[in-house]
């Protein structure tokens, strides 16, 4: 029981350090990346883009703006909720697919590149926000892997000759 309390205390401390110091710093880094991407796309607009690419520009620009302050909200729970909403809400899905198509087919390759970079930043933010769970999942995954190997080990122990069993597992 003491070991369990120590392990849980260590996990809680690691979780606190990650969620209190590391994750906010990483989210600020991602936010700064989004600001830089927004500046890049604004520079494209200032330099001049074709009328055909105007709509794609605004979709990417507004998407970046909407996500700047929402980075902490990109969690597993929200990911599942978003996926369910996109699958069940046909109107939303058709609007999103149309917008993605407009961005992907625009003539300005830099807008597409900024869109792809923005997607990468958002993906990284999801991973960072899930990071606090890794302190709990890794030990569980380790236990599952160990338990799954127990079946093989038990089989090998049953088939081990007696003299080797005595050497490997001496009686106390």
């Amino acid at each position: 029981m003491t070991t369990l309390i120590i392990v849980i205390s260590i996990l809680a401390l690691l979780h606190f350090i990650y969620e209190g110091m590391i994750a906010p710093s990483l989210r600020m880094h991602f936010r700064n990346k989004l600001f830089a991407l927004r500046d890049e796309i604004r520079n494209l607009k200032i330099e001049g883009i074709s009328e055909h690419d105007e709509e794609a520009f605004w979709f990417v620009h507004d998407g970046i703006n909407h996500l700047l302050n929402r980075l902490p909200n990109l969690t597993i729970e929200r990911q599942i909720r978003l996926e369910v909403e996109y699958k069940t809400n046909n109107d939303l899905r058709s609007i999103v697919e149309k917008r993605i198509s407009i961005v992907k087919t625009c003539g300005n390759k830099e807008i597409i590149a900024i869109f792809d970079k923005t997607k990468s930043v958002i993906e990284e933010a999801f991973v960072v926000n899930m990071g606090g769970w890794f302190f709990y999942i890794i030990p569980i995954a380790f236990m599952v892997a160990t338990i799954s190997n127990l079946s093989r080990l038990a089989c090998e122990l049953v088939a081990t000759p007696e003299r080797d069993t005595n050497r490997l597992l001496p009686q106390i």
Side-chain angles (χ1 to χ4, degrees), residues 103-115:
V103 172
K104 291 287 188 177
T105 59
C106 81
N108 191 319
K109 300 301 177 199
E110 292 172 341
I111 292 175
I112 297 170
I114 292 170
F115 179 73

Side-chain angles (χ1 to χ4, degrees), residues 57-74:
F57 162 81
W58 284 112
F59 290 152
V60 175
H61 179 270
D62 292 346
I64 292 171
N65 275 340
H66 293 128
L67 292 168
L68 278 169
N69 293 323
R70 290 179 172 84
L71 292 178
N73 298 340
L74 302 176

